[in-house]
Amino acid sequence: MSYQRPKGTNDILPGESEKWQFIEDTARSLFNNYQYQEIRTPLFEHYEVISRSVGDTTDIVSKEMYDFYDKGGRHITLRPEGTAPIVRAYVEHKLFGPEYSKPYKVFYIGPMFRYERPQKGRLRQFHQIGVEAFGSDNAATDVETMVMALAFFKQLGIQHLHLVINTLGDKATRENYRQALIDYFSAYENKLSEDSKRRLHENPLRILDSKDKADKKLVADAPSILDYLSEKAQAHFTQVTTMLDALEISYEIESTMVRGLDYYTHTIFEIMSDNPQLGAQSTLCAGGRYDQLVEELGGPDTPGFGFAIGIERLLLVLENEEVELPALHQLDAYVVNIGASTNTEALKVTQAIRDAGFSADRDVMGRKAKAQFKSADKQRAKFVFTLGEDELNAGMINVKSMASGEEKRIPLTTVYNDLTQIFDEMN
Ligand code: HAM
């Protein structure tokens, strides 16, 4: 009997995992520069943390949760996203207290779980790199955070992207707009999909996010939220666009964009790849402002802004744009040993190089010299040490710098006592 991985999951194998490490390292160092620190929350949460934040009528909560009752009868779900768990942690640990910096800025990297129909760029276990900033309602926070996401993609060498923004305004905006949507869609109620009929009175904003063809036609002529913005919401949005202009960042405003999560207020955004091969999965990064969520989960009135990037989608784009990521693991030294009697000395030499703080590898499969030199080449070793029986008897070893081609025969004692000098001299 043999098994396959569960549908919608991936094994990340060596060869691929180096790319993940490079992407994650790039995010860590860039986000650190913007003063974000890492946070790690559990992979599962109380169901209610997610349902109250993301919203009961969203696809994520109503169709895609990996939820279950644990042996203690608790309703638990694997996390479908990172924001709600982090807000839960922010409130639980009172990270709004005076001893913490403001805004309080965190980033996270890890797996999320959604029971979706798997396809290219859409998985059931997928991975996000995300950030959340708590405590600032300044439009500059919206803009610098979106710019940080763009900078991340730029640093990775991705070129063909565009930024799409919209606003969902404040409470007053959404109340007015909700009524306008109900009025508009009620006239076409019998044409709406079953899902959207249900949403019409529960949460009409969700109809705008429908993937149903007939719904989409009606959505095209629906009233625009931009006509219902309160004065405060309009002022915030104008500041955001003015600041994007000041930084000469190009963007489009898409007034029907609502995003698939209920917690957003004011600015929302997506960064899409222009690559046609990604189809409906072209959104690499998405996020926005959530000024009521902290309070909703029992904390003090605290604004928030964040985004999440889908790592699997990012990898597809890197592949499509043929971006070469640098090799992470270059080998400092490869030790070629010829003849069974050199086995122990080769072990000692390899270990001495490692103990001196360098990376080293050797053959342990009894391969012929030619095959060992090939391995050294393949692993891109900077130096190749060669130990034959003659060298061993003379207490010597050969060392070759692969960069300069220079070759030397040196005493084994030098390897044990003065390795750094050899590397420096021959570099
Ligand atoms: P989201 O739009 O649900 O937002 O997901 C963000 C990104 O995660 C998507 O743009 C996509 O790249 C990736 N993603 C989502 N679902 C899948 C999937 N099934 N397979 C592969 N990739 C996927 C959020 O999750 C919010 N928490 C973002 C946020 C943070 N808003 C404020 N702070």
Side-chain angles (χ1 to χ4, degrees):
M1 188 70 191
S2 71
Y3 296 99
Q4 289 185 340
R5 61 191 188 274
K7 191 172 173 185
T9 66
N10 267 337
D11 297 311
I12 302 158
L13 305 176
E16 196 62 16
S17 59
E18 287 83 350
K19 295 181 196 161
W20 286 70
Q21 286 168 21
F22 180 73
I23 288 170
E24 291 166 5
D25 289 349
T26 304
R28 277 201 180 89
S29 93
L30 180 73
F31 296 171
N32 276 329
N33 283 348
Y34 281 73
Q35 303 301 300
Y36 282 81
Q37 286 176 316
E38 185 169 5
I39 185 168
R40 303 187 192 198
T41 66
L43 297 196
F44 56 86
E45 284 286 338
H46 287 294
Y47 181 90
E48 220 182 290
V49 168
I50 309 296
S51 65
R52 282 191 65 178
S53 314
V54 176
D56 284 324
T57 54
T58 60
D59 282 354
I60 296 178
V61 171
S62 65
K63 300 179 184 162
E64 299 170 358
M65 295 276 263
Y66 272 95
D67 65 316
F68 57 95
Y69 288 86
D70 73 5
K71 293 187 199 324
R74 299 171 195 90
H75 195 185
I76 297 288
T77 183
L78 299 188
R79 61 181 191 190
E81 61 107 44
T83 310
I86 289 170
V87 172
R88 193 265 310 138
Y90 179 79
V91 175
E92 182 173 344
H93 300 283
K94 299 190 171 55
L95 301 174
F96 43 79
E99 64 271 44
Y100 298 105
S101 58
K102 282 189 178 52
Y104 190 79
K105 302 202 283 193
V106 289
F107 75 88
Y108 53 98
I109 302 177
M112 308 293 163
F113 308 87
R114 295 183 194 176
Y115 193 80
E116 295 204 73
R117 205 152 45 84
Q119 47 192 294
K120 202 173 188 184
R122 180 175 296 162
L123 291 128
R124 290 183 175 171
Q125 174 175 325
F126 60 98
H127 297 75
Q128 286 185 342
I129 300 178
V131 307
E132 313 295 347
F134 295 97
S136 160
D137 59 9
N138 190 335
T141 294
D142 309 30
V143 172
E144 73 167 21
T145 312
M146 293 191 278
V147 167
M148 181 172 79
L150 290 168
F152 172 68
F153 294 123
K154 193 170 170 198
Q155 204 166 329
L156 286 175
I158 298 176
Q159 297 190 346
H160 308 289
L161 292 174
H162 61 277
L163 169 67
V164 181
I165 63 170
N166 191 24
T167 174
L168 295 178
D170 50 10
K171 239 186 187 153
T173 304
R174 274 196 314 284
E175 272 162 21
N176 288 337
Y177 187 50
R178 180 191 155 87
Q179 197 50 53
L181 287 177
I182 294 177
D183 293 346
Y184 170 78
F185 284 116
S186 291
Y188 304 101
E189 192 162 348
N190 53 359
K191 287 192 182 163
L192 287 172
S193 68
E194 286 310 311
D195 267 349
S196 291
K197 272 185 196 142
R198 189 171 42 79
R199 289 167 175 147
L200 180 57
H201 294 283
E202 282 177 359
N203 189 353
L205 213 68
R206 289 266 73 84
I207 300 177
L208 302 187
D209 210 24
S210 171
K211 285 157 195 118
D212 181 89
K213 255 196 192 146
D215 287 353
K216 276 187 168 174
K217 264 194 195 149
L218 295 174
V219 167
D221 293 321
S224 161
I225 194 164
L226 300 179
D227 296 327
Y228 293 85
L229 297 182
S230 68
E231 215 172 291
K232 195 177 146 217
Q234 180 63 63
H236 186 87
F237 196 52
T238 304
Q239 277 193 318
V240 167
T241 53
T242 307
M243 287 172 175
L244 283 169
D245 293 338
L247 292 178
E248 294 176 22
I249 306 282
S250 48
Y251 59 91
E252 293 149 39
I253 299 174
E254 202 179 294
S255 65
T256 55
M257 179 169 80
V258 287
R259 312 259 314 107
L261 307 96
D262 276 352
Y263 49 62
Y264 291 113
T265 56
H266 295 285
T267 318
I268 53 174
F269 78 101
E270 296 193 2
I271 298 173
M272 342 259 282
S273 161
D274 299 334
N275 200 306
Q277 284 180 37
L278 284 170
Q281 276 65 252
S282 62
T283 305
L284 285 183
C285 171
R289 184 165 274 289
Y290 46 90
D291 287 353
Q292 278 143 27
L293 187 55
V294 174
E295 210 174 1
E296 177 69 29
L297 291 191
D301 180 11
T302 310
F305 193 97
F307 65 70
I309 294 163
I311 301 185
E312 285 84 356
R313 291 189 192 176
L314 173 56
L315 281 162
L316 284 175
V317 172
L318 287 169
E319 201 180 300
N320 278 323
E321 293 202 9
E322 293 177 6
V323 176
E324 280 277 332
L325 301 180
L328 280 184
H329 305 298
Q330 225 193 2
L331 198 60
D332 291 315
Y334 191 96
V335 181
V336 172
N337 66 107
I338 306 160
S341 64
T342 59
N343 191 18
T344 304
E345 199 67 32
L347 171 77
K348 279 178 67 186
V349 168
T350 310
Q351 208 49 46
I353 299 172
R354 289 173 179 154
D355 288 346
F358 299 97
S359 60
D361 202 8
R362 60 161 293 202
D363 173 67
V364 287
M365 307 302 293
R367 269 186 287 248
K368 297 218 160 63
K370 198 173 159 196
Q372 294 188 43
F373 284 115
K374 239 187 178 164
S375 293
D377 230 31
K378 212 170 145 196
Q379 290 175 255
R380 297 200 257 173
K382 289 188 212 153
F383 290 91
V384 177
F385 290 78
T386 310
L387 186 68
E389 279 165 6
D390 287 351
E391 284 86 7
L392 181 62
N393 290 336
M396 305 293 281
I397 191 166
N398 279 321
V399 52
K400 179 174 179 181
S401 157
M402 301 313 277
S404 66
E406 186 188 353
E407 218 170 333
K408 259 189 192 170
R409 189 173 230 234
I410 58 170
L412 276 166
T413 50
T414 313
V415 177
Y416 294 131
N417 301 323
D418 223 351
L419 191 65
T420 315
Q421 195 197 328
I422 298 291
F423 283 163
D424 284 349
E425 269 176 25
M426 295 179 68
N427 224 338

